[in-house]
Amino acid sequence: MCGIVGYIGKKQAAPILLDGLSKLEYRGYDSAGMAVYDGKMIHVQKSAGRLKTLDEQTHGGDTMPGMSGVGHTRWATHGVPSDINAHPHYNTDETIAVVHNGIIENYLKLKKKLAAKGCKFRSDTDTEVVAMLLDYYYHGDPMEAIVKVMHRVEGSYALGIIFADHPEVLYAVRKDSPLIVGKGKDGCYIASDVPAILRYTRKVYYLQNEEIAVLSDEAVHFYNIDSEEIEKEQKTIEWDINAAEKGGYEYFMLKEMNEQPKTVTDTLNPRLKNGDIVIEELGMSDEEIRSLRKIHIVACGSAYHTGITGKYVLEGLSRIQVETDLASEFRYRDPIIEKGTLVIIISQSGETADSLAALREAKKRGALTLGIVNVVGSSIAREADRVMYTWAGPEIAVATTKAYTAQLIALYLLAVKFAKIRGLLDERAFASMIKDLKAIPAQIQMLLANKENIQRFANRYLAAKDVFFIGRGIDYAISLEGSLKLKEISYIHSEAYAAGELKHGTISLIEEGTLVTAVSTQEDLYKKTLSNIVEVRTRGAFVMAVTNEDNTEIEKAADYVIYLPKTNRFFTNSLAIIPLQLFSYYVSVGKGLDVDKPRNLAKSVTVE
């Protein structure tokens, strides 16, 4: 969840580290720090708060000369956000500096042992234990010390390490936390994610578990945990560098919402060929698809909400039984995996710790696994039996928008393809669905154009204390994501409920003036949802309804209505979520909050 960047080369390191960290601040912004070797010793500067504080303290890095170093932006796990707990961490003699993303699970045991041998700890972090343990094992050979530490520590880690005795090299280590290595004309780099180094190089290597990278100003060498040198394939990043910048928008979230028409197009187009759906990366024969007996969809957060939509869409179209699980629950509930089971793991980053663990559990139990991910070369992409990329491009805002939308499209494609192969869609119905899928980008663009009206409405609810979202079927899945968007960036308490559950206790929470957002896109459920709207209005609620353009009857009960263009009933989530994203965004902006970096949250959840 933290962000790591490192550099060794021909230029001053600190400005490069600060620039890289600015591209990783979505991974954590409780504190930030840098360690730079100036030719004589390692200097560390770190501070609690946003990266801006560190930048100001070092005058943009000018006060920290040196051509090698590591930097870190933190999402706190062990120890409160503070100057002391910020990374990098030293050994006692301040000759080894470490930055770390992940969690050292046995750090207390190690800390107790090291303390008994005289180590004096300054912080409450698990990372300082790594620095002290490196010092304990170091006798002039950094690789020997690093390997011994790897054998002793338990948990997840991506490490950037510099040794004062060996200033000509920078070390990087990875286990279950993402880390990439870049090679450019002016030096070599390490980073938690591509945007941090995209300005400097497009040539990268993806470290895999228990691999070590040794970087100099001109070369990179890779080793396994047995200190054996290994060869790694260099990858070229094809992203447009502007995709990782704001491009004139006030916030990344607004930019990424407006990129959704392109995101849908980019995810659809490679799979729509000559009037058919061709998902080559799926690698399943028609017979294998026909023999599927069950699908598990496993994910976290917003990806889990796409999975709930996927349950309705896959079951409704392909008539395959689907279970949707939170990844953190799937891996611990002893799931039943029978022959003919497909497990779909959904993750934007492809590094989500619980989702990755669930993937490994599913494979261990014999399931065929499919990863739906956005990041090429990520852990889930590499470890799943099959991978389906969403092609959403870099998503920087912590609150996902375009990646969520792309995941929906991927699930629609699977559902429609499975339905056709299983003989549940004739050619006319299949062609109609293809037509509706192709229309989604333009329909999203039309909804985005209505942002001023939604902004005016949002401004009325800046002081709201509680907001409720209700819906039935797919509309319930939409409500879950709409509610999450609001709470995570506006800090307003918000809950989503299946509308049919209102009478079972929930309706007691409705007070005079409470905002209730009612989603009603499923034609066969219009009347049922309408009765629920009447129930909450009778108790004083103000109702914002999101519904299809043909459902004008809802105006009799709702106070404010947002109409959606007509689409297939299974695809309505892709349209209904747009006004809910905009509403949440404008509430957050109206409250003066940092939309892209909501408190206590980070983009890529790489720890349990």
Side-chain angles (χ1 to χ4, degrees), residues 2-59:
C2 305
I4 289 174
V5 65
Y7 171 76
I8 184 166
K10 300 176 177 64
K11 293 187 174 183
Q12 291 296 312
I16 293 173
L17 298 179
L18 285 169
D19 179 60
L21 291 175
S22 72
K23 307 301 190 299
L24 295 178
E25 206 175 4
Y26 65 88
R27 299 180 68 90
Y29 31 87
D30 294 330
S31 59
M34 296 186 293
V36 176
Y37 183 80
D38 69 353
K40 295 181 180 180
M41 61 185 295
I42 300 171
H43 290 277
V44 168
Q45 182 70 45
K46 54 187 183 177
S47 63
R50 297 291 175 88
L51 180 64
K52 181 181 178 182
T53 303
L54 180 68
D55 185 87
E56 291 172 348
Q57 288 177 346
T58 62
H59 298 279

Short mmCIF file of all heavy atoms in Angstrom, two decimals, residues 2-59:
data_model
loop_
_atom_site.label_atom_id
_atom_site.label_comp_id
_atom_site.label_asym_id
_atom_site.label_seq_id
_atom_site.Cartn_x
_atom_site.Cartn_y
_atom_site.Cartn_z
N CYS A 2 2.11 1.13 0.42
CA CYS A 2 3.03 2.26 0.39
C CYS A 2 3.64 2.36 -1.00
O CYS A 2 3.54 1.46 -1.82
CB CYS A 2 4.12 2.09 1.43
SG CYS A 2 3.49 1.83 3.10
N GLY A 3 4.31 3.49 -1.26
CA GLY A 3 4.97 3.69 -2.53
C GLY A 3 6.47 3.77 -2.37
O GLY A 3 6.97 4.46 -1.48
N ILE A 4 7.20 3.07 -3.22
CA ILE A 4 8.65 3.02 -3.18
C ILE A 4 9.21 3.52 -4.50
O ILE A 4 8.69 3.19 -5.58
CB ILE A 4 9.16 1.58 -2.94
CG1 ILE A 4 8.85 1.14 -1.51
CG2 ILE A 4 10.65 1.45 -3.22
CD1 ILE A 4 9.19 -0.31 -1.26
N VAL A 5 10.28 4.30 -4.43
CA VAL A 5 11.01 4.68 -5.62
C VAL A 5 12.49 4.71 -5.27
O VAL A 5 12.87 5.01 -4.14
CB VAL A 5 10.53 6.04 -6.18
CG1 VAL A 5 10.82 7.17 -5.21
CG2 VAL A 5 11.13 6.34 -7.54
N GLY A 6 13.34 4.36 -6.23
CA GLY A 6 14.78 4.40 -6.01
C GLY A 6 15.49 4.75 -7.30
O GLY A 6 14.98 4.51 -8.40
N TYR A 7 16.70 5.35 -7.16
CA TYR A 7 17.46 5.76 -8.34
C TYR A 7 18.94 5.66 -8.06
O TYR A 7 19.41 5.98 -6.96
CB TYR A 7 17.12 7.20 -8.73
CG TYR A 7 18.04 7.77 -9.81
CD1 TYR A 7 17.90 7.39 -11.13
CD2 TYR A 7 19.05 8.68 -9.48
CE1 TYR A 7 18.74 7.89 -12.11
CE2 TYR A 7 19.90 9.18 -10.46
CZ TYR A 7 19.74 8.79 -11.78
OH TYR A 7 20.58 9.29 -12.74
N ILE A 8 19.68 5.25 -9.07
CA ILE A 8 21.14 5.32 -9.04
C ILE A 8 21.59 5.64 -10.47
O ILE A 8 21.14 5.01 -11.42
CB ILE A 8 21.78 4.03 -8.52
CG1 ILE A 8 23.30 4.17 -8.42
CG2 ILE A 8 21.41 2.82 -9.35
CD1 ILE A 8 23.97 3.06 -7.60
N GLY A 9 22.43 6.66 -10.61
CA GLY A 9 22.81 7.03 -11.96
C GLY A 9 23.70 8.25 -12.02
O GLY A 9 24.48 8.54 -11.10
N LYS A 10 23.53 9.02 -13.11
CA LYS A 10 24.40 10.14 -13.41
C LYS A 10 23.81 11.48 -13.00
O LYS A 10 24.45 12.53 -13.16
CB LYS A 10 24.69 10.15 -14.92
CG LYS A 10 25.38 8.88 -15.44
CD LYS A 10 25.55 8.94 -16.95
CE LYS A 10 26.30 7.70 -17.47
NZ LYS A 10 25.54 6.46 -17.24
N LYS A 11 22.58 11.48 -12.49
CA LYS A 11 21.90 12.72 -12.10
C LYS A 11 21.72 12.77 -10.59
O LYS A 11 21.89 11.78 -9.88
CB LYS A 11 20.55 12.82 -12.80
CG LYS A 11 20.65 12.99 -14.31
CD LYS A 11 19.27 13.26 -14.91
CE LYS A 11 19.38 13.57 -16.40
NZ LYS A 11 18.06 13.90 -16.99
N GLN A 12 21.32 13.96 -10.10
CA GLN A 12 21.01 14.10 -8.69
C GLN A 12 19.76 13.26 -8.37
O GLN A 12 18.74 13.34 -9.07
CB GLN A 12 20.76 15.57 -8.34
CG GLN A 12 22.02 16.43 -8.40
CD GLN A 12 23.06 15.99 -7.37
OE1 GLN A 12 22.75 15.79 -6.20
NE2 GLN A 12 24.30 15.82 -7.83
N ALA A 13 19.84 12.48 -7.33
CA ALA A 13 18.78 11.51 -7.03
C ALA A 13 17.54 12.15 -6.43
O ALA A 13 16.41 11.79 -6.78
CB ALA A 13 19.32 10.43 -6.09
N ALA A 14 17.72 13.09 -5.49
CA ALA A 14 16.58 13.57 -4.70
C ALA A 14 15.45 14.15 -5.55
O ALA A 14 14.28 13.83 -5.32
CB ALA A 14 17.05 14.58 -3.66
N PRO A 15 15.73 15.02 -6.54
CA PRO A 15 14.62 15.52 -7.36
C PRO A 15 13.88 14.41 -8.11
O PRO A 15 12.66 14.46 -8.27
CB PRO A 15 15.31 16.49 -8.33
CG PRO A 15 16.56 16.91 -7.63
CD PRO A 15 17.00 15.70 -6.88
N ILE A 16 14.63 13.39 -8.54
CA ILE A 16 14.00 12.25 -9.23
C ILE A 16 13.13 11.46 -8.26
O ILE A 16 12.01 11.04 -8.59
CB ILE A 16 15.08 11.35 -9.87
CG1 ILE A 16 15.78 12.10 -11.00
CG2 ILE A 16 14.47 10.04 -10.37
CD1 ILE A 16 16.97 11.37 -11.58
N LEU A 17 13.62 11.28 -7.03
CA LEU A 17 12.84 10.56 -6.03
C LEU A 17 11.56 11.30 -5.71
O LEU A 17 10.48 10.71 -5.62
CB LEU A 17 13.67 10.37 -4.76
CG LEU A 17 14.95 9.54 -4.88
CD1 LEU A 17 15.67 9.47 -3.54
CD2 LEU A 17 14.67 8.14 -5.41
N LEU A 18 11.65 12.62 -5.53
CA LEU A 18 10.45 13.42 -5.22
C LEU A 18 9.44 13.36 -6.37
O LEU A 18 8.23 13.23 -6.14
CB LEU A 18 10.84 14.87 -4.94
CG LEU A 18 11.50 15.15 -3.60
CD1 LEU A 18 12.08 16.55 -3.56
CD2 LEU A 18 10.50 14.96 -2.45
N ASP A 19 9.94 13.44 -7.59
CA ASP A 19 9.05 13.37 -8.74
C ASP A 19 8.37 12.00 -8.81
O ASP A 19 7.16 11.90 -9.04
CB ASP A 19 9.84 13.63 -10.02
CG ASP A 19 8.98 13.54 -11.26
OD1 ASP A 19 8.00 14.31 -11.37
OD2 ASP A 19 9.25 12.68 -12.12
N GLY A 20 9.15 10.94 -8.58
CA GLY A 20 8.57 9.60 -8.59
C GLY A 20 7.55 9.41 -7.50
O GLY A 20 6.48 8.83 -7.72
N LEU A 21 7.86 9.92 -6.31
CA LEU A 21 6.93 9.79 -5.19
C LEU A 21 5.63 10.54 -5.46
O LEU A 21 4.56 10.12 -5.02
CB LEU A 21 7.57 10.29 -3.90
CG LEU A 21 8.70 9.44 -3.34
CD1 LEU A 21 9.32 10.11 -2.12
CD2 LEU A 21 8.21 8.04 -2.96
N SER A 22 5.72 11.65 -6.18
CA SER A 22 4.50 12.41 -6.49
C SER A 22 3.55 11.59 -7.35
O SER A 22 2.33 11.81 -7.32
CB SER A 22 4.85 13.72 -7.20
OG SER A 22 5.29 13.50 -8.53
N LYS A 23 4.10 10.64 -8.12
CA LYS A 23 3.25 9.77 -8.96
C LYS A 23 2.75 8.56 -8.17
O LYS A 23 1.92 7.80 -8.67
CB LYS A 23 4.04 9.27 -10.17
CG LYS A 23 4.70 10.37 -11.00
CD LYS A 23 3.70 11.36 -11.55
CE LYS A 23 4.34 12.30 -12.57
NZ LYS A 23 5.44 13.10 -12.01
N LEU A 24 3.28 8.36 -6.96
CA LEU A 24 2.90 7.21 -6.14
C LEU A 24 2.12 7.61 -4.89
O LEU A 24 1.79 6.75 -4.08
CB LEU A 24 4.15 6.43 -5.71
CG LEU A 24 4.96 5.76 -6.81
CD1 LEU A 24 6.19 5.09 -6.21
CD2 LEU A 24 4.13 4.74 -7.58
N GLU A 25 1.82 8.90 -4.75
CA GLU A 25 1.20 9.33 -3.50
C GLU A 25 -0.18 8.72 -3.31
O GLU A 25 -0.69 8.65 -2.19
CB GLU A 25 1.13 10.86 -3.44
CG GLU A 25 1.10 11.38 -2.02
CD GLU A 25 1.16 12.88 -1.92
OE1 GLU A 25 1.15 13.57 -2.95
OE2 GLU A 25 1.18 13.38 -0.78
N TYR A 26 -0.79 8.24 -4.41
CA TYR A 26 -2.07 7.55 -4.27
C TYR A 26 -1.94 6.26 -3.48
O TYR A 26 -2.93 5.69 -3.01
CB TYR A 26 -2.67 7.25 -5.65
CG TYR A 26 -1.86 6.29 -6.49
CD1 TYR A 26 -2.07 4.92 -6.38
CD2 TYR A 26 -0.90 6.74 -7.38
CE1 TYR A 26 -1.33 4.02 -7.13
CE2 TYR A 26 -0.16 5.85 -8.14
CZ TYR A 26 -0.38 4.50 -8.02
OH TYR A 26 0.35 3.62 -8.77
N ARG A 27 -0.71 5.77 -3.31
CA ARG A 27 -0.48 4.52 -2.58
C ARG A 27 -0.31 4.76 -1.08
O ARG A 27 -0.23 3.79 -0.32
CB ARG A 27 0.77 3.82 -3.13
CG ARG A 27 0.67 3.43 -4.58
CD ARG A 27 1.96 2.76 -5.03
NE ARG A 27 2.11 1.47 -4.38
CZ ARG A 27 1.65 0.32 -4.86
NH1 ARG A 27 0.98 0.30 -6.00
NH2 ARG A 27 1.85 -0.81 -4.22
N GLY A 28 -0.23 6.00 -0.67
CA GLY A 28 -0.07 6.31 0.74
C GLY A 28 0.42 7.73 0.92
O GLY A 28 1.29 8.19 0.19
N TYR A 29 -0.16 8.43 1.89
CA TYR A 29 0.21 9.84 2.06
C TYR A 29 0.15 10.25 3.53
O TYR A 29 -0.15 11.38 3.87
CB TYR A 29 -0.68 10.75 1.20
CG TYR A 29 -2.09 10.23 1.00
CD1 TYR A 29 -3.11 10.52 1.92
CD2 TYR A 29 -2.39 9.43 -0.09
CE1 TYR A 29 -4.38 10.03 1.73
CE2 TYR A 29 -3.67 8.93 -0.27
CZ TYR A 29 -4.67 9.24 0.64
OH TYR A 29 -5.93 8.75 0.47
N ASP A 30 0.45 9.28 4.41
CA ASP A 30 0.55 9.60 5.84
C ASP A 30 1.88 10.28 6.16
O ASP A 30 1.97 11.10 7.08
CB ASP A 30 0.45 8.32 6.69
CG ASP A 30 -0.91 7.68 6.59
OD1 ASP A 30 -1.89 8.40 6.38
OD2 ASP A 30 -0.99 6.45 6.72
N SER A 31 2.92 9.92 5.40
CA SER A 31 4.25 10.49 5.61
C SER A 31 5.10 10.16 4.40
O SER A 31 4.71 9.35 3.55
CB SER A 31 4.91 9.94 6.88
OG SER A 31 5.03 8.53 6.82
N ALA A 32 6.26 10.80 4.30
CA ALA A 32 7.15 10.56 3.17
C ALA A 32 8.58 10.80 3.60
O ALA A 32 8.84 11.54 4.56
CB ALA A 32 6.78 11.47 1.99
N GLY A 33 9.52 10.18 2.90
CA GLY A 33 10.92 10.37 3.25
C GLY A 33 11.84 9.91 2.14
O GLY A 33 11.44 9.20 1.21
N MET A 34 13.12 10.34 2.26
CA MET A 34 14.15 9.94 1.29
C MET A 34 15.45 9.65 2.03
O MET A 34 15.74 10.27 3.06
CB MET A 34 14.41 11.06 0.28
CG MET A 34 13.26 11.42 -0.61
SD MET A 34 13.76 12.64 -1.87
CE MET A 34 14.09 14.09 -0.88
N ALA A 35 16.23 8.75 1.47
CA ALA A 35 17.60 8.51 1.90
C ALA A 35 18.49 8.66 0.67
O ALA A 35 18.24 8.02 -0.35
CB ALA A 35 17.77 7.13 2.50
N VAL A 36 19.51 9.53 0.77
CA VAL A 36 20.39 9.80 -0.37
C VAL A 36 21.84 9.68 0.09
O VAL A 36 22.22 10.22 1.15
CB VAL A 36 20.13 11.20 -0.96
CG1 VAL A 36 21.13 11.50 -2.08
CG2 VAL A 36 18.70 11.31 -1.49
N TYR A 37 22.66 9.01 -0.71
CA TYR A 37 24.09 8.88 -0.41
C TYR A 37 24.83 10.03 -1.10
O TYR A 37 24.75 10.20 -2.31
CB TYR A 37 24.63 7.54 -0.90
CG TYR A 37 26.08 7.33 -0.55
CD1 TYR A 37 26.44 6.92 0.73
CD2 TYR A 37 27.08 7.56 -1.48
CE1 TYR A 37 27.78 6.73 1.06
CE2 TYR A 37 28.41 7.37 -1.16
CZ TYR A 37 28.76 6.96 0.11
OH TYR A 37 30.07 6.79 0.45
N ASP A 38 25.57 10.84 -0.31
CA ASP A 38 26.21 12.04 -0.84
C ASP A 38 27.69 11.87 -1.17
O ASP A 38 28.40 12.85 -1.45
CB ASP A 38 26.05 13.21 0.13
CG ASP A 38 26.85 13.03 1.42
OD1 ASP A 38 27.44 11.95 1.62
OD2 ASP A 38 26.88 13.98 2.23
N GLY A 39 28.16 10.64 -1.14
CA GLY A 39 29.56 10.38 -1.39
C GLY A 39 30.35 10.07 -0.14
O GLY A 39 31.46 9.53 -0.20
N LYS A 40 29.78 10.41 1.02
CA LYS A 40 30.43 10.15 2.29
C LYS A 40 29.53 9.37 3.24
O LYS A 40 29.98 8.49 3.97
CB LYS A 40 30.85 11.47 2.96
CG LYS A 40 31.91 12.23 2.20
CD LYS A 40 32.29 13.51 2.93
CE LYS A 40 33.36 14.29 2.17
NZ LYS A 40 33.73 15.54 2.88
N MET A 41 28.24 9.72 3.24
CA MET A 41 27.32 9.07 4.17
C MET A 41 25.90 9.12 3.61
O MET A 41 25.63 9.83 2.63
CB MET A 41 27.37 9.75 5.55
CG MET A 41 26.99 11.22 5.53
SD MET A 41 27.18 12.03 7.14
CE MET A 41 25.97 11.14 8.11
N ILE A 42 25.01 8.35 4.24
CA ILE A 42 23.60 8.34 3.85
C ILE A 42 22.87 9.40 4.67
O ILE A 42 22.89 9.37 5.90
CB ILE A 42 22.97 6.96 4.11
CG1 ILE A 42 23.70 5.87 3.31
CG2 ILE A 42 21.49 6.98 3.74
CD1 ILE A 42 23.27 4.47 3.66
N HIS A 43 22.22 10.32 3.98
CA HIS A 43 21.41 11.34 4.64
C HIS A 43 19.94 10.98 4.48
O HIS A 43 19.49 10.63 3.39
CB HIS A 43 21.68 12.72 4.04
CG HIS A 43 23.04 13.25 4.36
ND1 HIS A 43 23.33 13.90 5.54
CD2 HIS A 43 24.19 13.22 3.64
CE1 HIS A 43 24.59 14.25 5.54
NE2 HIS A 43 25.15 13.84 4.41
N VAL A 44 19.20 11.09 5.57
CA VAL A 44 17.76 10.79 5.55
C VAL A 44 16.98 12.04 5.94
O VAL A 44 17.34 12.73 6.90
CB VAL A 44 17.42 9.63 6.51
CG1 VAL A 44 15.91 9.53 6.70
CG2 VAL A 44 17.96 8.31 5.98
N GLN A 45 15.93 12.31 5.18
CA GLN A 45 14.98 13.38 5.53
C GLN A 45 13.59 12.80 5.40
O GLN A 45 13.25 12.19 4.37
CB GLN A 45 15.13 14.58 4.59
CG GLN A 45 14.21 15.73 4.92
CD GLN A 45 14.59 16.46 6.20
OE1 GLN A 45 15.76 16.74 6.43
NE2 GLN A 45 13.61 16.74 7.04
N LYS A 46 12.77 12.95 6.43
CA LYS A 46 11.42 12.40 6.38
C LYS A 46 10.50 13.22 7.25
O LYS A 46 10.94 13.88 8.20
CB LYS A 46 11.42 10.93 6.80
CG LYS A 46 12.06 10.62 8.15
CD LYS A 46 12.15 9.11 8.35
CE LYS A 46 12.72 8.76 9.72
NZ LYS A 46 12.73 7.30 9.95
N SER A 47 9.21 13.14 6.95
CA SER A 47 8.25 13.94 7.71
C SER A 47 6.86 13.35 7.60
O SER A 47 6.51 12.71 6.60
CB SER A 47 8.22 15.38 7.19
OG SER A 47 7.78 15.41 5.84
N ALA A 48 6.07 13.56 8.64
CA ALA A 48 4.67 13.17 8.60
C ALA A 48 3.91 14.11 7.67
O ALA A 48 4.32 15.23 7.43
CB ALA A 48 4.08 13.21 10.00
N GLY A 49 2.79 13.62 7.16
CA GLY A 49 1.96 14.45 6.28
C GLY A 49 2.22 14.17 4.81
O GLY A 49 2.90 13.20 4.44
N ARG A 50 1.69 15.03 3.97
CA ARG A 50 1.78 14.85 2.53
C ARG A 50 3.21 15.07 2.02
O ARG A 50 4.05 15.70 2.67
CB ARG A 50 0.81 15.82 1.83
CG ARG A 50 -0.67 15.56 2.17
CD ARG A 50 -1.15 14.25 1.56
NE ARG A 50 -2.50 13.91 1.94
CZ ARG A 50 -3.59 14.32 1.29
NH1 ARG A 50 -3.48 15.11 0.25
NH2 ARG A 50 -4.78 13.95 1.69
N LEU A 51 3.43 14.62 0.82
CA LEU A 51 4.73 14.73 0.18
C LEU A 51 5.18 16.18 0.05
O LEU A 51 6.38 16.48 0.06
CB LEU A 51 4.68 14.06 -1.20
CG LEU A 51 5.95 14.07 -2.05
CD1 LEU A 51 7.04 13.26 -1.36
CD2 LEU A 51 5.66 13.52 -3.44
N LYS A 52 4.23 17.08 -0.06
CA LYS A 52 4.55 18.51 -0.20
C LYS A 52 5.45 18.99 0.92
O LYS A 52 6.35 19.81 0.70
CB LYS A 52 3.25 19.32 -0.23
CG LYS A 52 3.46 20.81 -0.40
CD LYS A 52 2.12 21.55 -0.40
CE LYS A 52 2.34 23.05 -0.53
NZ LYS A 52 1.04 23.79 -0.48
N THR A 53 5.24 18.48 2.12
CA THR A 53 6.06 18.89 3.26
C THR A 53 7.51 18.50 3.05
O THR A 53 8.44 19.29 3.28
CB THR A 53 5.53 18.25 4.56
OG1 THR A 53 4.16 18.61 4.73
CG2 THR A 53 6.33 18.71 5.77
N LEU A 54 7.73 17.27 2.60
CA LEU A 54 9.10 16.80 2.34
C LEU A 54 9.74 17.62 1.22
O LEU A 54 10.92 17.98 1.29
CB LEU A 54 9.07 15.32 1.97
CG LEU A 54 10.42 14.68 1.65
CD1 LEU A 54 11.29 14.61 2.91
CD2 LEU A 54 10.22 13.27 1.08
N ASP A 55 8.97 17.90 0.20
CA ASP A 55 9.47 18.69 -0.92
C ASP A 55 9.93 20.07 -0.44
O ASP A 55 11.00 20.56 -0.84
CB ASP A 55 8.38 18.83 -1.98
CG ASP A 55 8.86 19.52 -3.23
OD1 ASP A 55 9.40 18.84 -4.12
OD2 ASP A 55 8.70 20.76 -3.32
N GLU A 56 9.13 20.69 0.42
CA GLU A 56 9.48 22.01 0.93
C GLU A 56 10.70 21.94 1.85
O GLU A 56 11.57 22.82 1.81
CB GLU A 56 8.29 22.61 1.68
CG GLU A 56 7.12 22.97 0.76
CD GLU A 56 5.88 23.38 1.52
OE1 GLU A 56 5.85 23.16 2.77
OE2 GLU A 56 4.94 23.89 0.89
N GLN A 57 10.77 20.92 2.68
CA GLN A 57 11.90 20.80 3.61
C GLN A 57 13.23 20.63 2.88
O GLN A 57 14.27 21.06 3.38
CB GLN A 57 11.68 19.60 4.54
CG GLN A 57 10.59 19.80 5.59
CD GLN A 57 10.37 18.58 6.43
OE1 GLN A 57 10.83 17.48 6.10
NE2 GLN A 57 9.66 18.72 7.55
N THR A 58 13.20 20.00 1.74
CA THR A 58 14.44 19.73 0.99
C THR A 58 14.62 20.67 -0.20
O THR A 58 15.53 20.47 -1.00
CB THR A 58 14.44 18.28 0.48
OG1 THR A 58 13.34 18.08 -0.43
CG2 THR A 58 14.33 17.29 1.64
N HIS A 59 13.73 21.70 -0.30
CA HIS A 59 13.79 22.65 -1.42
C HIS A 59 13.83 21.92 -2.76
O HIS A 59 14.70 22.14 -3.60
CB HIS A 59 15.01 23.58 -1.28
CG HIS A 59 14.97 24.43 -0.05
ND1 HIS A 59 14.23 25.59 0.05
CD2 HIS A 59 15.57 24.26 1.16
CE1 HIS A 59 14.38 26.12 1.26
NE2 HIS A 59 15.18 25.33 1.96
#
